[in-house]
Amino acid sequence: MPPVTMSGVVIGVDIGTTSTKANAYDTNGRQLASHLVDYPLNDPQPGYAEQDPHLILDAVLKSISMVVAELAVPVSGLAFCSAMHSLIGLNAAGDPLTPSLTWADSRSTRQAERLRAVPSGLALHRRTGTPMHPMSPLPKLLWFAEQEPKLFESVAHWVGIKDWVLLRICDTLVTDHSIASATGLLDIHRLEWDSEALAIAGITEKQLPRLVATTAVLPGLTPQAAAITELPQRTPVVVGAGDGPLANLGLGAVHPGMVACSIGTSGAMRVMVERPGVDPLGGVFCYALTEHRWAVGGAINNGGIVLKWAGAALAPDLGEHSEEDLVALAARAPVGSGGLIMLPYLHSERAPHWSALPRGAYVGLTHSHRREHLIRAAMEGVCQQLALVLSSVRAAGNEVHEIRASGGFARSDLWRQMLADVLGLPVSFPAGHEGSSFGAALLGMQALGLIPSIDVAADLVRIEETVRPDPAAAATYAALLPLFAELYDALVPAFTSIRRLAPGLPTGPEAPI
């Protein structure tokens, strides 16, 4: 396909877990300006992971205004994406009554486990595309109903963070099919709120935003938002989608069989399909991008943060920001870490088991293992967990013929090779793009008629390098993967006992990771 020549600049606004980034792109995929604003993720109690919605709104407006100030050309529109699974309770005036609970908030673990344990739990997962896990708004709503009943009764609307930001800057309360498909409340096959899920949550359809397509265009900005951003009030605003599906789009992984894999602090693996559905065992999620594009896959809690933990716990002498030195140490250990396996569940886990129960574990430790073995095993464990997600993606009936990967880990040659070896497939690494924000901009360009289709993404994304698996290493990892998978089930009784005993055990100061 030839390069797109239609003119236009769209700002993709990515509302992330710890920052908002705005990036301006033209229709040939060139990034013209960028600005990032950080904000805190608060944990006032164990299991809590929440944010101040007002700080996020301020970050959105500031990031947009800074990008607008850098541009020498008019802005054709704004397009949004955000982290999925957030939940905020609003009063009738649209003001927050609760913080924004993020995907990382696990206070509703027991509610999620109850939902998973009943026979209808898997059926609900298959119908809504969202696993019964504390990341999801559905068990979070149950937590509020049971633990904060007076507050729960006073909430007029339950929304996600992107929904609230759009309410504030466009004066319209809507949620897109993508964000809604990650709530556990949407029937993804009918694109309607699921009556059984609403009944379980104890809410009504009137308490949720109006459902719209991800390509829906809002008519413009409020006078206040226009003044802060210095954009015309009539600037079109494309509602956009969730960051996961848009990351696939931003990597050009838009066709069936093309998998997007990312390892940042956490990790994820997703493939685009044309019709919604999950595997028979419920090992994957299914989230919308557009009416005919769905992201099937799984997210893991423990990505690059495992290497950061290894540095603090095993090699504090290397100091902070020692990732390169840690990887160099790991490279001294053999493939397979001399029979040492790490289950990297330092922050519990999501796919494919979707349980908040597991803890991290080293298995196979002997007197001959040194810290380079432990560090390498931690890195291998992250890749092996992604391999389990890939197996679930295939179990959902999807062929996989290409993998595109991104994230901070991609700066390391060892990580790149290890991922290809563990997955047993070539892995391509695109150059330069900001994943979700570029995906949001592309979706916005399609919605505004600036590009013919989001299919152009596959041609706009340039592949920097393709790493092919080493046959011997791939064979070693293939032999170890079934054992890695079996260890989860084998250790569930131990994980259960640890959770029961942990509250009564002495605690000491924790090193930050």
Side-chain angles (χ1 to χ4, degrees):
M1 181 179 295
V4 177
T5 57
M6 300 171 70
S7 62
V9 172
V10 172
I11 299 177
V13 185
D14 182 8
I15 306 171
T17 306
T18 57
S19 65
T20 286
K21 176 175 277 191
N23 293 287
Y25 297 95
D26 67 15
T27 50
N28 286 308
R30 292 181 297 233
Q31 182 176 299
L32 305 179
S34 177
H35 193 79
L36 179 145
V37 181
D38 293 316
Y39 35 75
L41 178 64
N42 304 315
D43 54 350
Q45 298 184 47
Y48 285 42
E50 56 188 38
Q51 295 174 310
D52 182 344
H54 294 94
L55 290 180
I56 296 176
L57 175 62
D58 291 344
V60 168
L61 292 170
K62 182 177 180 180
S63 63
I64 295 171
S65 66
M66 295 300 290
V67 166
V68 171
E70 288 185 48
L71 292 172
V73 294
V75 174
S76 300
L78 303 174
F80 281 80
C81 86
S82 73
M84 309 179 93
H85 311 296
S86 59
L87 182 68
I88 309 169
L90 307 179
N91 64 18
D95 299 318
L97 297 176
T98 73
S100 176
L101 278 63
T102 72
W103 64 267
D105 194 287
S106 61
R107 70 185 73 179
S108 60
T109 293
R110 296 193 183 280
Q111 287 78 14
E113 288 178 347
R114 289 207 313 266
L115 289 172
R116 284 180 58 84
V118 298
S120 59
L122 181 56
L124 195 60
H125 178 179
R126 290 173 177 166
R127 204 163 61 248
T128 66
T130 305
M132 299 300 108
H133 187 274
M135 67 179 183
S136 166
L138 174 53
K140 288 182 172 77
L141 287 166
L142 274 176
W143 184 91
F144 275 111
E146 295 171 6
Q147 301 298 319
E148 299 278 358
K150 289 185 178 180
L151 173 62
F152 183 78
E153 289 298 325
S154 68
V155 170
H157 298 287
W158 293 99
V159 303
I161 185 59
K162 182 162 72 68
D163 309 334
W164 186 73
V165 167
L166 291 176
L167 173 63
R168 279 287 176 256
I169 71 172
C170 298
D171 197 26
T172 305
L173 183 57
V174 296
T175 192
D176 65 84
H177 291 146
S178 180
I179 292 295
S181 66
T183 62
L185 302 170
L186 182 78
D187 185 327
I188 60 174
H189 305 282
R190 301 171 59 194
L191 293 180
E192 298 175 357
W193 295 118
D194 186 271
S195 58
E196 181 185 354
L198 296 185
I200 291 171
I203 62 172
T204 68
E205 188 173 328
K206 292 181 179 179
Q207 290 178 276
L208 296 171
R210 176 169 58 90
L211 289 165
V212 298
T214 58
T215 51
V217 181
L218 304 183
L221 300 168
T222 63
Q224 183 180 13
I228 294 172
T229 60
E230 298 189 1
L231 286 170
Q233 192 174 340
R234 66 181 183 277
T235 301
V237 177
V238 179
V239 174
D243 58 354
L246 284 174
N248 274 60
L249 180 55
L251 291 174
V254 292
H255 300 304
M258 297 175 67
V259 169
C261 175
S262 60
I263 306 178
T265 301
S266 55
M269 182 168 285
R270 300 167 299 269
V271 64
M272 282 293 169
V273 299
E274 296 177 349
R275 290 161 48 174
V278 303
D279 64 298
L281 297 179
V284 295
F285 55 59
C286 181
Y287 301 146
L289 176 59
T290 65
E291 185 178 350
H292 301 294
R293 293 287 171 82
W294 299 78
V296 171
I300 64 173
N301 286 356
N302 304 279
I305 200 168
V306 176
L307 185 61
K308 192 172 183 180
W309 168 83
L314 303 173
D317 53 299
L318 298 179
E320 294 186 19
H321 311 296
S322 59
E323 286 82 1
E324 289 186 12
D325 293 332
L326 288 167
V327 171
L329 263 177
R332 290 162 47 181
V335 170
S337 302
L340 181 64
I341 294 175
M342 184 199 185
L343 302 184
Y345 308 142
L346 304 180
H347 291 264
S348 180
E349 196 45 284
R350 284 183 282 172
H353 302 293
W354 303 107
S355 171
L357 183 65
R359 302 287 188 99
Y362 279 103
V363 178
L365 192 64
T366 71
H367 74 285
S368 63
H369 288 120
R370 299 293 179 261
R371 65 177 182 174
E372 54 261 37
H373 295 86
L374 275 72
I375 295 168
R376 184 180 185 110
M379 297 172 65
E380 290 176 338
V382 172
C383 294
Q384 287 166 319
Q385 190 68 25
L386 285 168
L388 295 186
V389 177
L390 183 62
S391 295
S392 292
V393 168
R394 285 172 162 151
N398 302 296
E399 293 186 6
V400 176
H401 58 75
E402 181 179 351
I403 295 177
R404 295 188 176 189
S406 66
F409 88 106
R411 292 189 293 269
S412 161
D413 290 338
L414 180 62
W415 268 116
R416 288 184 176 213
Q417 187 64 56
M418 186 182 293
L419 184 65
D421 292 342
V422 172
L423 299 181
L425 290 167
V427 180
S428 297
F429 294 86
H433 284 300
E434 292 287 350
S436 297
S437 65
F438 182 49
L442 286 170
L443 189 67
M445 291 174 193
Q446 175 182 304
L448 298 174
L450 299 175
I451 59 174
S453 165
I454 56 174
D455 289 341
V456 303
D459 300 296
L460 291 177
V461 175
R462 180 175 63 86
I463 299 300
E464 178 182 72
E465 180 187 13
T466 297
V467 177
R468 302 188 179 281
D470 174 83
T476 297
Y477 289 128
L480 288 170
L481 187 61
L483 176 57
F484 179 87
E486 291 167 7
L487 284 172
Y488 175 89
D489 292 329
L491 289 174
V492 163
F495 295 148
T496 303
S497 296
I498 289 171
R499 187 171 72 174
R500 175 174 52 82
L501 294 170
L505 298 176
T507 59
E510 294 185 3
I513 60 169

